[in-house]
Amino acid sequence: MEAIIRAGLSQLGLLDRVPPEAPGQLAEYGRLLLEKNRVMNLTAITDPEQAARLHMLDCAALLTVCDLRGRRLIDVGTGAGFPGLVLKILEPSLELTLLDGLAKRLDWLGEVCAALRLEGVVRLHGRAEELSREPGLRDSFDVAAARAVAELRVLCELCLPFVRPGGLFVAMKGPGGGEELAGAAGALSALGGAPEGCRSYPVPGAEVTHQAVLIRKNAPTPPGYPRRWARIQKAPL
Ligand code: SAM
């Protein structure tokens, strides 16, 4: 796995920018993921090469799209740590918070952080739409990121409330990211976001092009948001 990750990082133009130990750490993370996946549902991917490409390199590619040095970032619906933990390994100056509704996954992520000697990673257990009402979390992160959690209109309501005015929300999407962004105009205007673009990037060796949707937060979250989960789901903005 390490050779694939190293070659992919080189193809993305990132190899010279990341810590020398990062490719080995990502390979070890992948090994731990596939091992734990035998007893806990973490990923549908079971092949090491696919895990290297579609998890590690897909998330790594985000660093070609935005500069995350020294940023305070929350990964909403992190699951098995994607994209947050990959970004932390590649950019250690990141102040990372991993949020998920499933405590077991966060417990395992704690074990991964210990095994890889990653310090300062905050793990938050709970529903995004509830936690973003808490002072210290609401309107406070430089960046919120999410991958494979929900369609963009729903995701905006789960993620934008965490972002400080002037900060960025990054949604990792497949090839349909641009269309989702066009359909999310109502959500953006309700939540104080403005589209900043949709950047396509290749996933090395995977013959797929993914898209990062970038949304700038330009005003604090209005008091009525986010709504309760049933409402968010039933009537997306
Ligand atoms: N982001 C990871 C990835 O790309 O592999 C995980 C994706 S997984 C399909 C979706 C994750 O989001 C699950 O772990 C789930 O528990 C979490 N999730 C979904 N809705 C959530 C919410 N409203 N609040 C907190 N976590 C949520």
Side-chain angles (χ1 to χ4, degrees), residues 41-44 54-55 58-59 75-84 99-103 105 124-131 145-150 154-155 158 162 172 229 232:
N41 180 17
L42 291 170
T43 173
L54 294 174
H55 284 318
D58 180 40
C59 295
D75 179 3
V76 178
T78 188
F82 302 116
L99 181 154
D100 204 276
L102 288 179
R105 290 182 177 166
L124 264 185
H125 173 228
R127 302 282 312 176
E129 65 278 14
E130 293 168 10
L131 290 171
R147 187 186 83 152
V149 175
V154 169
L155 208 50
L158 297 181
F162 287 108
M172 298 179 69
W229 176 242
I232 295 175

Side-chain angles (χ1 to χ4, degrees), residues 217-237:
K217 172 101 166 249
N218 50 26
T221 308
Y225 297 108
R227 300 164 297 163
R228 288 172 186 271
W229 176 242
R231 194 79 195 129
I232 295 175
Q233 227 184 2
K234 199 172 167 199
L237 293 168

Side-chain angles (χ1 to χ4, degrees), residues 25-36 40 42 56 79-82 85-86 89 98 104-119 121 123:
Q25 282 180 306
L26 288 177
E28 178 61 5
Y29 176 19
R31 192 190 67 73
L32 293 169
L33 172 75
L34 297 184
E35 183 183 80
K36 191 69 176 182
M40 186 190 285
L42 291 170
M56 306 306 168
F82 302 116
L85 214 50
V86 173
I89 289 168
L98 301 171
K104 274 188 183 174
R105 290 182 177 166
L106 290 169
D107 291 345
W108 176 72
L109 286 170
E111 291 170 23
V112 174
C113 288
L116 300 181
R117 297 196 170 79
L118 296 173
E119 287 176 3
V121 176
R123 287 170 291 128

